[in-house]
Amino acid sequence: VQLQASGGGLVQAGGSLRVSCEASGRTLRDYTVGWFRQASGKEREFVATISWAATLKVYADSVKGRFTISRDNAKNTVYLQMNSLKLEDTAVYYCAASPQSLPDAGGYDYWGQGTLVTVSS
């Protein structure tokens, strides 16, 4: 499955942005999809994940209550709605897919190319 992340951009602190992850090649319905991010000079970190039926959602503590992951399997797309953005949310955001129901960070087999989110003061 090929993943294409989009929707990144420049937003002021406190603002909102929605990034999308669209799949092609295979239906995304078969996969758990996660969002990760990597800030400049830092390691990639987990942000959120959603199971194939959207029955299970897990968030990093740093984004809990501010970010919401969702999916539309009919559109083969997973979304990450980001509200109350902070300067420290600035990063390249990647989506990834796994056939496992609740994979760890190393369990994602397919990765998108990333979309840059920049939060300004």
Side-chain angles (χ1 to χ4, degrees):
V1 60
Q2 291 81 45
L3 303 174
Q4 178 76 36
S6 63
L10 177 64
V11 61
Q12 285 192 323
S16 298
L17 198 64
R18 188 178 78 165
V19 292
S20 302
C21 176
E22 185 173 4
S24 60
R26 287 194 64 175
T27 176
L28 205 55
R29 187 184 304 117
D30 298 331
Y31 297 91
T32 292
V33 177
W35 283 98
F36 294 79
R37 67 186 182 186
Q38 187 167 21
S40 180
K42 296 187 177 181
E43 293 188 354
R44 186 172 61 197
E45 65 175 357
F46 167 78
V47 176
T49 192
I50 185 168
S51 61
W52 70 272
T55 53
L56 180 64
K57 301 177 186 180
V58 180
Y59 297 92
D61 288 342
S62 59
V63 306
K64 205 172 292 183
R66 301 188 298 121
F67 290 12
T68 302
I69 191 170
S70 62
R71 67 190 299 160
D72 185 339
N73 286 337
K75 295 183 177 180
N76 242 13
T77 302
V78 172
Y79 305 97
L80 184 69
Q81 176 67 45
M82 303 181 289
N83 299 329
S84 302
L85 282 161
K86 303 176 180 180
L87 297 180
E88 53 264 39
D89 294 319
T90 295
V92 177
Y93 284 72
Y94 298 89
C95 59
S98 171
Q100 303 176 40
S101 58
L102 192 59
D104 58 24
Y108 290 85
D109 299 322
Y110 307 97
W111 290 82
Q113 88 292 353
T115 185
L116 176 62
V117 173
T118 303
V119 184
S120 65
S121 59

